[in-house]
Amino acid sequence: MEKFYHLRSSAVPLPIEDVDTDQIIPARFLKSTTRDGFGENLFRDWRYKKDGSMEDQFVLNNPRYSGAVLLAGHNFGCGSSREHAAWAIADYGFKVVVSSFFADIFKANALNIGLLPVQITKEQLAFAFERVSDDAETIFVVDLENQVLQISETSFSAPFEISKYKKECLLKGHDDIDYLLSIEKEIAIYEQSIPAFLQ
Amino acid sequence: MQKTLFDKLWDAHVVKTIDGIDVIYIDKHFIHEVTSPQAFSGIESRGISMAHASKTIATPDHNVPTKNQHLPIIDPLSKKQVEALRNNCSKHQVEIYDLGHENHGIVHIIGPENGITKPGMSIVCGDSHTSTHGAFGCLAFGIGTSQVEQVFASQCLLMNRPKTMRINIDGTLSHGVTSKDVILYIISKLTAAGGTGYFIEYTGSTIKSMSMEARMTICNMSIEMGARGGMIAPDDNTFAYLEGKPFSPKGKEWESALEYWKTLNTDNGATFDREEYFSAEEIFPMVTYGTNPGMGIPITDKVPTANMDAGYEKSLRYMDFQQGEKLEDKRIQNVFIGSCTNGRIEDLRAVAAFVEGKQKAKHVKAMIVPGSKQVELKAISEGLDKIFIASGFELREPGCSACLGMNDDKVPANEYCVSTSNRNFEGRQGQGARTILASPLMAAAAAIEGKIVDVRKYM
């Protein structure tokens, strides 16, 4: 996994609530057997019209907005457990998703691939959307070490939660398997206690 | 200390705790063709083998055709994915219930029907509807592909302990109201995000009197309110269902299992982070009107008008419904009966009993997709297939099918589909498809009448 430390970037605003994983990456694009290339179909049915031409109204097609931060509405990533949703966002070039609320499985998937979910309050999110709408060049500063999201040239400073363990993983570029393999012996001891009828 | 059922199950599976995160041991791992190939390549590129291949069971379900399963798959990408599953299973010695096998079917149907799913187990699968298995008193939840790889590598997962919620439902459901209506009602009250961060235990007299299959429908849709999982304490219904199943314990082992399983319930006085109460009498046949499962109403109600949010407007525009209108009598074009939510034999029996002697409306395409080979064969042995065919329904072979439209079973753009599945997201059943979630009975009635109706008027 790639290390994550610090990010300064403009943001792409998607102020829609309850964005589900079928919107992030529709099921018909899940037929790959590798992790690559999902960014091409990120938000496919919002990005393109049925005839394949670009949907100019959609934010990813708006030349005003670019950057490695996706600003998203409440309850982002609800629905299926497909990690392909997180892969598509990361493959497109985003490093951070900011929202006021994330669906559980999406959040876990994102952290597992080094895409940082930053949860801030509804009021803070509303302010961030407003700033970006006023000035598309607004710079967001994500400081993982200090667990804080800031907006450059403003006093905006939003602390965010992340477990100590996951923070270490991101900072060092380690993943859960590295850790789980290191406790092999303890797992083997646990296994001796499993009753036969649960096997 | 008094413990909840969740606490008992969770604590029994903690190998150790690090920085507040628990290492959870996984007893059974189900995999399918869509979310597993990258996990297999992951362990291969690390040069490690599976910790316990015998604890994993595979079946291709998401991407398979529901016609002519004995022939090679035509869609090249689907074929490649199913073949990758076959190759990976053979390389890593994982048991696979392939197309045509007597145990083939949707992962969440074949686990319970074979007794692979047992009370007290921790069960995961790279599919959010893994919560289905919670109906047996299991710790069951959906995971992403990196976690599939973790289970391959170590048989464990690193998890934050979720919060607990108990949902109490008491009373007797009225005629024509099913467990699907119960869960759609609960989600409509708690919203599509209302359960996020929680593991839910369902209890109360309504739940206790439900069959195992009805309970599975309830637990299945826990994820539709964002919950990590749902569970129901095992009882005599559970034990009767499991006794004699191919993978159920036998003889002395059955006795010791039973002794343990009877301890799997919430102690008196144990506390939950949140409790909700519902009464069965307040629940009517439900339909959804929007693009998330929380947007549901009783068939007797009108599409809510109070909400003026932009997302709400967008959702109604997608569905081509107006605020304040009734959905009753709306013309529909498709009916889909199946999925891990409602593709079991009791669902098919309920549909057959309703449609027997009736004809589907001419303009409706009505498809029934059994959840597994066993469900399909049982339906045929009971003569349900003849009833379906005589009524103008098509009976397919098992798979996830039009629930998520990965295979050819798609709903055409702008058409309505009354569906017994679990999600009404934009484009879920096909690009531009408009899904109305409902019970098998409501779907059957819609197929016969050619429009959304209140099934109780026809029973």
Side-chain angles (χ1 to χ4, degrees):
Chain A
M1 198 167 73
E2 220 175 288
K3 286 183 192 175
F4 187 105
Y5 189 69
H6 204 269
L7 178 77
R8 278 182 69 87
S9 170
S10 54
V12 178
L14 186 69
I16 300 173
E17 297 195 351
D18 299 318
V19 172
D20 60 74
T21 52
D22 277 84
Q23 306 319 312
I24 299 173
I25 182 88
R28 63 185 189 281
F29 299 111
L30 305 185
K31 299 191 185 196
S32 170
T33 53
T34 68
R35 285 173 179 243
D36 316 313
F38 288 100
E40 204 179 309
N41 294 311
L42 174 66
F43 295 116
R44 177 75 198 201
D45 294 339
W46 288 352
R47 238 163 107 193
Y48 298 98
K49 294 180 182 154
K50 283 200 188 83
D51 62 11
S53 63
M54 289 234 265
E55 180 57 76
D56 296 333
Q57 301 299 313
F58 188 60
V59 69
L60 293 191
N61 297 330
N62 185 339
R64 267 191 81 202
Y65 299 108
S66 64
V69 174
L70 177 64
L71 266 189
H74 199 70
N75 195 26
F76 185 77
C78 58
S80 95
S81 63
R82 62 186 72 155
E83 194 166 301
H84 311 63
W87 296 339
I89 294 170
D91 187 52
Y92 185 85
F94 292 111
K95 305 263 184 224
V96 172
V97 186
V98 177
S99 177
S100 52
F101 197 75
F102 290 96
D104 274 341
I105 307 182
F106 175 82
K107 196 176 185 178
N109 288 343
L111 284 167
N112 279 338
I113 66 158
L115 174 70
L116 181 64
V118 170
Q119 187 166 323
I120 57 177
T121 67
K122 273 195 163 176
E123 293 70 30
Q124 289 165 339
L125 185 68
F127 178 82
F129 275 130
E130 208 173 298
R131 281 299 295 198
V132 174
S133 143
D134 290 348
D135 175 10
E137 318 271 293
T138 301
I139 294 293
F140 287 75
V141 182
V142 185
D143 178 351
L144 176 60
E145 179 78 62
N146 294 303
Q147 296 179 220
V148 63
L149 171 75
Q150 290 170 315
I151 298 179
S152 188
E153 290 168 37
T154 73
S155 58
F156 180 95
S157 180
F160 62 87
E161 293 284 323
I162 182 168
S163 74
K164 193 176 151 206
Y165 167 80
K166 273 292 169 196
K167 182 168 150 182
E168 280 296 301
C169 284
L170 287 170
L171 290 171
K172 292 183 175 155
H174 292 170
D175 65 23
D176 289 356
I177 294 185
D178 298 328
Y179 173 74
L180 290 168
L181 291 177
S182 76
I183 58 162
E184 212 175 6
K185 281 192 187 130
E186 286 161 272
I187 297 173
I189 292 167
Y190 173 88
E191 282 171 339
Q192 289 164 11
S193 70
I194 304 172
F197 55 81
L198 289 187
Q199 303 198 7
Chain B
M1 203 190 110
Q2 290 95 344
K3 283 181 161 190
T4 66
L5 168 60
F6 168 81
D7 294 329
K8 290 179 185 178
L9 292 171
W10 186 271
D11 293 346
H13 289 91
V14 175
V15 174
K16 69 177 284 189
T17 302
I18 160 188
D19 291 342
I21 297 181
D22 292 328
V23 177
I24 294 292
Y25 194 84
I26 303 304
D27 295 318
K28 193 57 73 182
H29 186 195
F30 291 99
I31 60 170
H32 59 84
E33 75 280 22
V34 178
T35 58
S36 68
Q38 297 87 350
F40 279 113
S41 5
I43 55 165
E44 282 167 14
S45 68
R46 286 173 203 262
I48 53 177
S49 50
M50 288 178 75
H52 293 287
S54 63
K55 293 181 191 252
T56 296
I57 286 181
T59 194
D61 57 0
H62 279 61
N63 210 344
V64 299
T66 54
K67 266 184 183 169
N68 296 320
Q69 288 186 345
H70 60 290
L71 298 177
I73 299 173
I74 296 166
D75 177 78
L77 291 174
S78 303
K79 186 175 176 203
K80 195 176 160 199
Q81 222 170 29
V82 172
E83 279 175 357
L85 182 69
R86 288 173 185 153
N87 293 338
N88 284 324
C89 288
S90 120
K91 208 183 325 175
H92 295 270
Q93 295 173 319
V94 172
E95 177 96 57
I96 178 170
Y97 298 139
D98 210 338
L99 294 173
H101 190 285
E102 58 176 358
N103 291 348
H104 172 252
I106 304 175
V107 276
H108 312 310
I109 306 248
I110 65 169
E113 76 184 359
N114 287 299
I116 299 167
T117 300
K118 285 181 269 281
M121 274 186 163
S122 56
I123 298 179
V124 296
C125 173
D127 187 279
S128 60
H129 294 109
T130 309
S131 56
T132 313
H133 306 263
F136 289 80
C138 298
L139 184 68
F141 51 91
I143 55 175
T145 299
S146 293
Q147 292 172 308
V148 172
E149 189 181 334
Q150 289 161 28
V151 179
F152 282 172
S154 67
Q155 207 58 37
C156 288
L157 285 173
L158 286 156
M159 302 284 298
N160 288 305
R161 191 186 185 102
K163 290 182 284 185
T164 55
M165 186 191 323
R166 179 159 61 185
I167 297 182
N168 305 270
I169 311 136
D170 283 299
T172 310
L173 293 172
S174 45
H175 195 47
V177 179
T178 69
S179 68
K180 180 63 164 289
D181 302 301
V182 173
I183 191 64
L184 283 173
Y185 179 75
I186 293 171
I187 302 166
S188 77
K189 291 295 174 193
L190 302 185
T191 79
T196 307
Y198 291 92
F199 234 100
I200 298 174
E201 180 182 347
Y202 301 92
T203 190
S205 62
T206 315
I207 298 289
K208 289 187 176 128
S209 64
M210 277 181 188
S211 72
M212 289 313 295
E213 297 200 356
R215 292 178 188 183
M216 283 188 251
T217 303
I218 301 268
C219 288
N220 171 277
M221 289 190 74
S222 304
I223 180 68
E224 307 313 335
M225 44 189 153
R228 239 9 278 221
M231 57 177 62
I232 293 169
D235 59 11
D236 290 342
N237 273 358
T238 320
F239 310 140
Y241 179 95
L242 286 172
E243 195 163 12
K245 290 270 189 286
F247 288 84
S248 289
K250 311 268 180 312
K252 250 199 180 141
E253 219 168 65
W254 172 261
E255 295 306 322
S256 40
L258 211 53
E259 199 183 319
Y260 174 60
W261 293 346
K262 285 181 177 166
T263 68
L264 296 176
N265 46 46
T266 291
D267 296 331
N268 282 332
T271 54
F272 290 80
D273 295 305
R274 184 174 163 193
E275 292 227 39
E276 295 288 341
Y277 298 86
F278 298 99
S279 146
E281 284 77 17
E282 72 200 48
I283 305 174
F284 301 107
M286 296 285 295
V287 284
T288 58
Y289 59 88
T291 54
N292 75 54
M295 301 171 83
I297 45 172
I299 182 65
T300 47
D301 273 17
K302 292 171 179 162
V303 175
T305 51
N307 197 331
M308 303 307 276
D309 162 58
Y312 186 74
E313 290 282 347
K314 181 178 183 292
S315 185
L316 288 192
R317 214 175 321 123
Y318 181 85
M319 292 300 293
D320 196 25
F321 289 149
Q322 312 298 319
Q323 298 195 20
E325 73 172 345
K326 285 190 91 167
L327 296 194
E328 201 171 355
D329 293 332
K330 283 263 179 200
R331 193 175 158 93
I332 55 112
Q333 294 78 30
N334 303 274
V335 165
F336 171 64
I337 292 164
S339 84
C340 58
T341 311
N342 282 123
R344 286 172 283 267
I345 192 67
E346 285 178 13
D347 300 313
L348 269 56
R349 283 182 193 142
V351 170
F354 183 84
V355 305
E356 187 164 19
K358 300 185 180 98
Q359 271 301 313
K360 75 161 179 73
K362 279 206 176 70
H363 68 276
V364 172
K365 187 173 176 254
M367 188 164 72
I368 298 175
V369 183
S372 71
K373 198 73 193 168
Q374 289 181 25
V375 171
E376 181 192 350
L377 295 177
K378 207 177 272 180
I380 292 170
S381 75
E382 293 178 14
L384 308 187
D385 57 328
K386 293 189 183 68
I387 296 171
F388 295 143
I389 291 160
S391 303
F393 289 68
E394 199 182 345
L395 180 65
R396 295 287 189 92
E397 290 172 285
C400 298
S401 181
C403 173
L404 84 167
M406 268 196 90
N407 68 356
D408 290 336
D409 308 340
K410 292 182 176 63
V411 174
N414 303 324
E415 290 193 6
Y416 289 110
C417 179
V418 177
S419 177
T420 68
S421 55
N422 40 59
R423 289 191 176 130
N424 50 350
F425 295 152
E426 277 185 36
R428 171 87 178 174
Q429 297 194 289
Q431 264 184 291
R434 294 167 173 156
T435 303
I436 295 148
L437 300 177
S439 74
L441 273 180
M442 285 287 280
I448 301 296
E449 300 304 320
K451 56 189 186 177
I452 302 172
V453 294
D454 185 341
V455 67
R456 295 172 301 172
K457 294 181 182 170
Y458 300 84
M459 291 178 86

